[in-house]
Amino acid sequence: MDINIQFKKGALELCVLVLIRQHDRYGYELAQSVSKHIEVAEGALYPLLRRLVAEGYCTTYLQESTGGPPRKYYKLTSAGEAHTRKLVVEWRQFVHNVSTLIEKGSTI
């Protein structure tokens, strides 16, 4: 099932923040983790990560890797923690409201 691109865009930030909140992650690892749940182009992820850093929700640091150049890891800031909590609450309310609307109006 191919979900509308706008739905994906809205959910991608939340998914990325929740994954980083679990533990610091590097870009490719994030892409792999997100794609287990929603199909996302890797190219869509890096502009989002740059924006999250620019907005102060994440910081980055380099860490040596065993098979190649150092990896850039993303870590939530305290502002990022608060933003993630807010987005989760908003998402749950949104899903509840949409589900309620669908149930009331559905003939499928």
Side-chain angles (χ1 to χ4, degrees), residues 28-76:
Y28 181 74
E29 178 185 14
L30 277 166
Q32 295 296 105
S33 297
V34 169
S35 66
K36 288 178 184 173
H37 303 281
I38 58 174
E39 186 181 326
V40 62
E42 202 174 314
L45 187 67
Y46 290 100
L48 170 62
L49 289 169
R50 282 192 295 276
R51 183 173 60 77
L52 292 173
V53 170
E55 291 175 352
Y57 296 137
C58 291
T59 58
T60 62
Y61 62 91
L62 292 178
Q63 186 169 310
E64 292 298 320
S65 72
T66 53
R71 292 179 173 150
K72 183 191 283 188
Y73 278 80
Y74 295 85
K75 177 181 182 66
L76 280 191

Side-chain angles (χ1 to χ4, degrees), residues 1-4 8 39:
M1 179 169 101
D2 190 29
I3 194 159
N4 182 296
K8 282 187 195 177
E39 186 181 326

